[in-house]
Amino acid sequence: SKSEADARNSLAAAQRRYSALAGKSGDVQRADLGAKGTYYRARVSAGSREAATALCSQVKAQGGDCVVAHR
């Protein structure tokens, strides 16, 4: 998202839409993409890479999209 507020709203909407995300803690990360500008990414913590992969699979099964980030 182009604004932090939009990213927070997107996170809240995703948590309502995808039951796999309900109750998971989330945050917004600022990303400077150089010439493209600054964007904000909504992120949800799953605890471990294995848990994140399982959570991502659940979201995809519900019609969503996600990426497991490297730490």
Side-chain angles (χ1 to χ4, degrees), residues 3 16 18-22 24 29-30 32 34-37 43 48 55-57 60 62 64 67-69:
S3 77
R16 286 189 302 273
Y18 304 111
S19 61
L21 299 178
K24 300 287 185 192
Q29 177 187 41
R30 184 177 183 270
D32 182 354
K36 291 183 180 183
R43 298 171 47 123
S48 69
L55 179 62
C56 192
S57 293
K60 287 180 178 181
Q62 293 178 325
V67 174
V68 175

Side-chain angles (χ1 to χ4, degrees), residues 19-65:
S19 61
L21 299 178
K24 300 287 185 192
S25 64
D27 70 336
V28 172
Q29 177 187 41
R30 184 177 183 270
D32 182 354
L33 301 181
K36 291 183 180 183
T38 300
Y39 284 79
Y40 295 86
R41 299 175 179 150
R43 298 171 47 123
V44 174
S45 176
S48 69
R49 182 164 184 79
E50 293 79 19
T53 300
L55 179 62
C56 192
S57 293
Q58 291 173 343
V59 169
K60 287 180 178 181
Q62 293 178 325
D65 193 22

